[in-house]
Amino acid sequence: MNKKFANRDPLRYLKARGSKWHYVRRVPGHFSHIDDRGTIRISLKTSSLDVAQIRRDALERADDMYWQGLALDDPARAAHGQYTAAKARAIALGFEYKAAAEIAEHASVEEIIRRITAAVQNPRDEVAALGGLDEPKLTVRKAMTFYIEELSADEIQGRSASQLKKWKQLKNDAADTFCEVISDKPLLDITRADATKYQKWWLDRIAGKDGGKPISGNTANRNMGNMRKLFREYMKHLQLELKNPFDGLSFKDPKRKRKVVPPFETDHIRKRLLKGTPFKTMNKEARLIFLAMVETGCRPSEIANLKPENIHLKAKIPYISVTFTDDRALKTENSVRDIPLVGVSLAAMKLAPKGFPRYADKEAALSAALMKYFRENHLFPTDRHRIYSIRHSYEKRMLEAGYGDEFRRRLLGHDIDRPEYGDGGSLAWRRDMMAKIALAYDASVLD
């Protein structure tokens, strides 16, 4: 159950009169100047509490959306609120909401009579019963804003401020790009021809035909996927059944060689990164985060966002816990894991027992700081290497030591292609396996 509603009164706005339940609700004071109903009283026409609660929920949502629509300065958003309210109210009345033209053309005589009767009994239900509103025409940009603000609660749950900012940016970028290529037309008016034109534009960018640097199929797929999901979720919200014009449109990466981030060679790590004072002028937190990655294979963000309670230095087997928190999502469920600390990574974490506040939820700043320092100090062996190369190096060291695929996947937080049994081995066993490949280091690299 949604936490927002978990503690709400199950009998809110319900009053029993005789054997029937009624919906009784006062118009909030701050809406009284635009809604003169005072106290709303509607018979729910049922003696079943379960049915009454379902119809109450629909009416409650209808009124909330109606007031929201009336209060909005944006006519398109206001129309959307009123339309959604009419659909919810129709459900409460026992009807499926249909536009007036559809009722006239397809409804049976008996259904038309029932709808007219409902409208006559309560004139305020005329729109809901007789289909007085057409589907709202939110444009692509406004629909995306509505999706972000109203329809994405489950999708954004647990994201941190920086994760949410990036998520919103990707959604808005997809909408902006579509508007530049096609137009900021009403979302529900998008045709298959529009979608295939949009696909062709991305295909040209993947091939570099626009004169710019070729992009990856992954980038194009992300943008197409965001538009596909926007259309799908908006339809679902309006309870429409339309063909999604973006369905089936995706991209493959071209045959050109993809950019692969190579691992650091073990000799490079020993001689350039764990010897002497290679990080002498780097800020302490960035230095310790990188060194904590060396013998854990963790992602930079996983180390940077460790909370004090996830750092277990006093345990018999010192370890860190990468886990979900209320304010931050992980890449995948498989990312949740306990990682023993050995070698230079243990030494680094002992110098940061409370974590890394400078870079908590700021992995972009961390990445920029590390990349700048490595480049300026010639710590990358080639221009293809990145900070992630240290994670790839750890996987390569495990592979060359003969460690099995599942052990490597569990330690690195990758997906495992079978049902999980057990915990992947005790901390002591994992610590001993990791200690076998731990690299010698100079204490000076920590300073």
Side-chain angles (χ1 to χ4, degrees):
M1 181 181 290
N2 192 315
K3 292 180 180 178
K4 181 179 178 182
F5 301 108
N7 298 318
R8 300 190 71 183
D9 181 3
L11 295 178
R12 66 189 181 282
Y13 311 133
L14 290 177
K15 298 287 184 183
R17 293 186 177 178
S19 62
K20 302 292 185 182
W21 288 98
H22 288 67
Y23 172 76
V24 180
R25 184 182 187 186
R26 286 191 60 80
V27 174
H30 54 288
F31 288 119
S32 59
H33 66 292
I34 52 177
D35 187 341
D36 61 1
R37 287 180 291 173
T39 298
I40 305 163
R41 293 183 175 86
I42 299 174
S43 172
L44 298 175
K45 301 178 180 178
T46 181
S47 57
S48 167
L49 178 58
D50 290 339
V51 174
Q53 288 173 326
I54 292 172
R55 293 180 178 174
R56 180 274 317 279
D57 290 346
L59 286 168
E60 180 182 10
R61 181 165 175 264
D63 284 327
D64 288 342
M65 292 299 297
Y66 176 67
W67 291 324
Q68 178 183 335
L70 291 178
L72 288 169
D73 294 330
D74 183 341
R77 291 286 296 276
H80 180 279
Q82 292 165 11
Y83 178 80
T84 305
K87 295 199 76 168
R89 191 174 290 276
I91 293 171
L93 294 171
F95 299 115
E96 175 188 357
Y97 183 85
K98 297 178 181 177
E102 184 180 0
I103 293 172
E105 185 174 353
H106 299 293
S108 66
V109 174
E110 292 78 8
E111 181 183 344
I112 292 174
I113 291 174
R114 287 192 297 109
R115 288 176 177 271
I116 292 174
T117 300
V120 170
Q121 290 177 343
N122 190 343
R124 289 187 180 277
D125 288 332
E126 180 178 343
V127 170
L130 299 179
L133 293 174
D134 292 326
E135 296 162 2
K137 297 289 186 178
L138 287 189
T139 63
V140 169
R141 283 195 176 96
K142 289 180 178 178
M144 184 61 84
T145 298
F146 181 75
Y147 168 75
I148 290 172
E149 294 178 356
E150 304 290 341
L151 303 182
S152 60
D154 290 342
E155 191 173 351
I156 65 176
Q157 186 174 7
R159 293 179 188 264
S160 67
S162 68
Q163 288 176 323
L164 185 58
K165 181 179 179 181
K166 183 178 180 180
W167 179 85
K168 288 181 178 180
Q169 187 64 54
L170 291 173
K171 298 295 182 184
N172 284 321
D173 284 350
D176 288 342
T177 302
F178 181 88
C179 293
E180 291 168 10
V181 176
I182 308 299
S183 72
D184 191 16
K185 64 191 302 182
L187 180 69
L188 297 182
D189 288 351
I190 294 175
T191 64
R192 183 67 169 184
D194 293 328
T196 53
K197 181 179 178 182
Y198 184 58
Q199 180 193 36
K200 175 64 166 57
W201 184 85
W202 281 109
L203 285 169
D204 287 343
R205 291 207 62 198
I206 292 172
K209 291 183 179 179
D210 62 342
K213 184 178 180 180
I215 65 165
S216 70
N218 182 60
T219 298
N221 277 325
R222 182 173 60 239
N223 280 271
M224 185 68 77
N226 281 329
M227 290 302 300
R228 184 184 303 114
K229 186 165 189 177
L230 170 63
F231 197 95
R232 182 177 69 243
E233 295 302 314
Y234 191 64
M235 278 198 304
K236 186 187 299 183
H237 172 71
L238 295 179
Q239 298 174 343
L240 300 175
E241 293 184 7
L242 301 176
K243 180 67 176 176
N244 192 324
F246 300 99
D247 277 352
L249 301 181
S250 60
F251 309 89
K252 294 181 180 179
D253 276 322
K255 293 182 180 179
R256 63 186 174 85
K257 187 176 181 180
R258 298 183 64 187
K259 184 180 291 186
V260 176
V261 177
F264 291 122
E265 294 299 328
T266 302
D267 276 352
H268 179 80
I269 300 173
R270 285 195 183 105
K271 296 175 182 179
R272 292 287 288 121
L273 304 181
L274 297 182
K275 190 175 182 63
T277 57
F279 309 117
K280 188 170 184 176
T281 59
M282 181 187 289
N283 76 75
K284 179 182 178 181
E285 290 194 22
R287 175 171 69 250
L288 295 179
I289 289 171
F290 178 79
L291 292 173
M293 295 170 60
V294 173
E295 301 294 357
T296 62
C298 282
R299 303 174 178 94
S301 61
E302 292 174 338
I303 300 294
N305 290 289
L306 286 172
K307 295 181 180 294
E309 58 267 28
N310 300 131
I311 302 169
H312 309 280
L313 297 173
K314 295 182 180 180
K316 183 177 180 180
I317 307 295
Y319 70 100
I320 55 176
S321 296
V322 177
T323 186
F324 288 104
T325 62
D326 291 337
D327 58 357
R328 184 172 180 81
L330 293 177
K331 187 172 183 180
T332 68
E333 289 187 7
N334 296 88
S335 297
V336 177
R337 61 204 191 279
D338 292 335
I339 307 169
L341 293 169
V342 300
V344 72
S345 295
L346 173 59
M349 290 308 306
K350 284 181 176 179
L351 295 176
K354 294 185 179 180
F356 306 94
R358 177 170 180 166
Y359 291 113
D361 201 29
K362 296 177 182 176
E363 49 263 41
L366 170 64
S367 178
L370 287 171
M371 287 293 293
K372 183 174 186 290
Y373 188 91
F374 268 64
R375 283 172 173 160
E376 290 180 348
N377 291 273
H378 310 291
L379 296 177
F380 286 135
T382 73
D383 60 5
R384 293 172 54 222
H385 282 78
R386 297 291 185 270
I387 301 302
Y388 245 70
S389 294
I390 198 67
R391 177 171 159 86
H392 298 172
S393 296
Y394 196 70
E395 182 169 20
K396 181 180 179 181
R397 281 194 279 148
M398 288 193 291
L399 176 65
E400 292 177 345
Y403 295 172
D405 179 68
E406 184 169 328
F407 178 83
R408 302 198 308 271
R409 285 175 176 269
R410 284 184 181 275
L411 199 60
L412 293 171
H414 289 160
D415 291 343
I416 298 173
D417 299 326
R418 69 163 182 80
E420 290 195 37
Y421 302 101
D423 59 4
S426 70
L427 276 175
W429 178 74
R430 278 177 273 168
R431 185 272 315 274
D432 292 344
M433 293 284 283
M434 295 168 68
K436 291 177 183 178
I437 61 171
L439 303 175
Y441 65 95
D442 289 349
S444 57
V445 301
L446 295 158
D447 299 329

